[in-house]
Amino acid sequence: MKLYRAKDYKEMSRKAADIISSLVILKPDCVLGLATGSTPIGTYEELVRRYQNGVLDFSQVCSANLDEYKGLTRDNEQSYYYFMYNNLFKHVNIKLKNTNIPNGMEPDSLEECLRYEKVIDCLNGVDLQLLGLGHNGHIGFNEPAEAFEKITHCVDLTASTIEANKRFFEKEEDVPRQAYTMGIGTIMKAKKILLIVSGEDKADILQKSLCGPVTPHVPASILQLHNDVTIVADEAALSRMK
Ligand code: F6R
């Protein structure tokens, strides 16, 4: 594992964008695994800035997102498609046909999960998977559980995740109860993993994920077993690390 200590959120975002940029420059047809949430927003802003300055070209890049709420249309402001479109895709020259996100409107969970695994296989896998870290150690929507889920699956969101996400919805009842997510096995197949973490509220779970036992009760702890993981975290998030 490589660990970068960033001063703050801004520096974390710049460093993460450096790592993604170097891949896009060295491998213009790379496959980026992307995440949503508040942590990667600064990274996406930085990538957009570099594209606007002529440093980056996304015309051959493909992407595969980690997850999507089940039951939300793409144009729902809380869907992850909407997030990706507005925070990254519409600002750069990535071809929308090369972007992939689970289809939240597919009611047949099994069919959608198998389709999404096939999409990733057809891309020859993900070159670099960007991850944020949930307060309970979740990655994607892989919540603490008795076993690591291997492939893309449909999850029932935990009370703590519904609670954390309700700030984005008008009413708690509007927060979807299920989501499609890449499995832990799907994530672990990525050639490189980039975990970005910011803020003191993530310090405990980051310490457990990196230094605690590898257990499905802390899904991110599995990253200790991946052979090419880079963590970019700010000082606040690293404050519990010795
Ligand atoms: C989002 C995702 C989630 C988030 C995690 C952290 O696609 O997969 O696992 O990365 O919930 O969210 P933030 O960054 O909002 O703290």
Side-chain angles (χ1 to χ4, degrees):
M1 280 191 173
K2 271 185 233 133
L3 178 62
Y4 285 97
R5 180 182 290 264
K7 192 161 57 82
D8 51 20
Y9 179 81
K10 206 168 170 192
E11 198 177 294
M12 177 205 74
S13 303
R14 266 203 305 262
K15 184 69 207 166
D18 285 348
I19 294 168
I20 297 169
S21 301
S22 80
L23 178 66
V24 171
I25 291 167
L26 294 173
K27 189 176 180 198
D29 60 349
C30 63
V31 179
L32 297 178
L34 299 174
T36 61
S38 45
T39 316
I41 290 177
T43 305
Y44 294 147
E45 281 172 359
E46 193 59 40
L47 292 173
V48 169
R49 197 166 306 126
R50 292 170 196 209
Y51 165 73
Q52 287 166 344
N53 290 340
V55 178
L56 292 180
D57 172 15
F58 289 86
S59 61
Q60 297 176 65
V61 170
C62 290
S63 69
N65 261 78
L66 281 169
D67 43 15
E68 178 61 284
Y69 286 118
K70 187 170 175 184
L72 297 191
T73 54
R74 284 178 158 198
D75 59 356
N76 184 306
E77 285 182 25
Q78 300 309 329
S79 77
Y80 287 174
Y81 183 90
Y82 189 94
F83 175 100
M84 288 311 303
Y85 184 75
N86 285 288
N87 285 289
L88 182 67
F89 299 159
K90 78 171 182 194
H91 303 291
V92 298
N93 66 337
I94 195 165
K95 297 188 175 96
L96 286 180
K97 71 175 172 59
N98 289 342
T99 65
N100 298 282
I101 300 187
N103 176 8
M105 292 311 288
E106 172 55 63
D108 185 332
S109 301
L110 190 61
E111 189 164 311
E112 178 53 17
C113 295
L114 293 175
R115 182 195 71 82
Y116 203 62
E117 283 291 314
K118 252 188 228 147
V119 165
I120 296 168
D121 278 352
C122 290
L123 293 170
N124 284 323
V126 168
D127 289 304
L128 174 76
Q129 178 65 55
L130 178 64
L131 295 177
L133 180 64
H135 287 105
N136 59 5
H138 72 227
I139 47 177
F141 267 127
N142 292 278
E143 303 282 12
E146 291 307 316
F148 291 113
E149 283 272 2
K150 293 190 184 60
I151 65 166
T152 300
H153 57 287
C154 180
V155 278
D156 295 328
L157 304 186
T158 61
S160 82
T161 299
I162 293 169
E163 177 65 26
N165 289 356
K166 76 173 190 211
R167 62 199 151 122
F168 301 115
F169 292 83
E170 244 173 59
K171 299 184 270 77
E172 189 176 331
E173 306 90 84
D174 294 341
V175 186
R177 287 343 199 216
Q178 287 188 310
Y180 289 124
T181 181
M182 285 187 193
I184 292 290
T186 326
I187 293 170
M188 289 293 279
K189 275 202 282 184
K191 287 157 204 138
K192 288 175 186 293
I193 290 183
L194 172 57
L195 175 70
I196 54 176
V197 193
S198 170
E200 215 193 324
D201 54 320
K202 300 276 177 79
D204 274 336
I205 195 63
L206 181 60
Q207 194 275 342
K208 280 195 191 116
S209 303
L210 301 187
C211 307
V214 175
T215 162
H217 295 290
V218 181
S221 64
I222 193 80
L223 300 176
Q224 294 177 34
L225 304 181
H226 193 283
N227 64 8
D228 194 346
V229 179
T230 301
I231 297 122
V232 183
D234 63 15
E235 281 173 6
L238 288 168
S239 57
R240 301 278 193 287
M241 303 275 291
K242 307 232 163 64

